Amino acid sequence: NPRRLIGTAAIPIDDVGWAVQELERVTKRGLRGAMIPIEAPEDLPPYRDPVYDPFWAAAQELDAPISVHILGGSRFPNPFAFNTSEEKADGARTLMLFFCEVMWVFANEFMCGGILDRFPKLKLVDSEFEISWIPWFMNRIGEPLEQLANRLSMPMPKMRADEYMRSRIWHGFIDDPYALMVIPLIGASQILWGTDFPHEESVGLGAQEIAARTVGGLPREDQEKVVGGNAAKVWGL
């Protein structure tokens, strides 16, 4: 129902020229932004490579937010498709890698890789990774990264990691039990809450109760941002 819902395109960017054309096509059709694989396929350059710059430029020009989604185009085997006993025995490790993958992509590609600096109006969204990992992430690639970068001659972004996470990236969650504690550390303006209905991970039909429990302790202004206001801003509603 286009009167109630908006869509986000799923766009592989193996062929950057095609991906740019597809992003232009779907935005003209009314879709808002695109979801891309979390990482480029192993046989292609990483996202920090300038070969992808035309896509980031198009997304910036079209004001099309770019999302990366948990389990979306990961390089790791899908644990839900494991068949052998060896695969299942390694399932916990693989599952943890899924949860953490966005961390090194943000750090190595979008921050230290310069994407967010080269395209200062590009909007980036991490979807359904929850948010309680973010304070730890901001701390671990803050001062420690700067110390290592000086020793190893690593490329460094223009801002600190916590500044990108608090201003350039929006963070989606469903039912994080630590949300009330960490939202003030990140900033309510960067948080996107959703029910994920009707997926298996969704909160089901109890959305109002879950929302009250999850963000009810925030100031009213921040509640309105998290449950809808931020999404309207990011996707231009």
Side-chain angles (χ1 to χ4, degrees), residues 2-219:
R3 292 177 296 179
R4 296 181 56 246
L5 305 172
I6 62 171
T8 295
I11 299 182
I13 57 175
D14 307 48
D15 182 330
V16 178
W18 177 88
V20 169
Q21 293 178 0
E22 181 68 358
L23 184 62
E24 294 171 344
R25 184 186 74 85
V26 298
T27 52
K28 289 179 181 177
R29 294 288 300 273
L31 299 186
R32 305 292 181 97
M35 181 181 75
I36 62 171
I38 299 175
E39 296 190 72
E42 290 188 82
D43 58 342
L44 293 177
Y47 284 153
R48 64 182 180 273
D49 193 288
V51 70
Y52 299 101
D53 281 2
F55 184 80
W56 314 130
Q60 177 175 262
E61 178 66 24
L62 295 166
D63 193 24
I66 298 301
S67 302
V68 290
H69 195 290
I70 194 167
L71 294 174
S74 173
R75 286 186 180 182
F76 302 109
N78 190 333
F80 299 104
F82 284 173
N83 295 309
T84 69
S85 58
E86 290 80 6
E87 288 175 327
K88 294 176 181 179
D90 208 30
R93 175 181 179 274
T94 304
L95 196 60
M96 292 306 299
L97 288 171
F98 273 126
F99 296 150
C100 298
E101 188 174 12
V102 71
M103 298 186 194
W104 60 76
V105 174
F106 279 0
N108 207 58
E109 307 305 320
F110 286 93
M111 295 179 188
C112 292
I115 298 171
L116 292 176
D117 290 339
R118 295 197 298 274
F119 303 95
K121 295 183 179 180
L122 178 67
K123 295 177 180 177
L124 184 61
V125 179
D126 58 87
S127 299
E128 296 185 12
F129 287 92
E130 301 301 305
I131 58 175
S132 52
W133 59 274
I134 294 175
W136 179 89
F137 172 80
M138 293 192 299
N139 177 57
R140 294 312 303 165
I141 67 164
E143 184 176 345
L145 177 63
E146 293 174 358
Q147 294 173 347
L148 284 174
N150 291 332
R151 293 175 58 189
L152 303 176
S153 300
M154 292 167 51
M156 284 296 293
K158 294 180 179 179
M159 299 192 299
R160 288 174 59 97
D162 60 316
E163 294 177 305
Y164 291 106
M165 297 295 277
R166 292 187 175 115
S167 64
R168 297 293 309 282
I169 304 173
W170 283 263
H171 316 285
F173 81 103
I174 304 170
D175 191 18
D176 193 320
Y178 303 106
L180 276 179
M181 288 187 283
V182 303
I183 288 175
L185 301 176
I186 304 166
S189 296
Q190 302 304 119
I191 307 298
L192 306 165
W193 177 75
T195 67
D196 199 37
F197 183 83
H199 289 176
E200 182 179 347
E201 295 284 330
S202 79
V203 298
L205 299 178
Q208 295 292 335
E209 293 78 8
I210 295 294
R213 186 192 75 201
T214 305
V215 301
L218 297 173

Side-chain angles (χ1 to χ4, degrees), residues 214-232:
T214 305
V215 301
L218 297 173
R220 179 69 182 185
E221 180 183 2
D222 288 346
Q223 292 182 42
E224 292 177 353
K225 290 179 180 179
V226 171
V227 301
N230 292 336

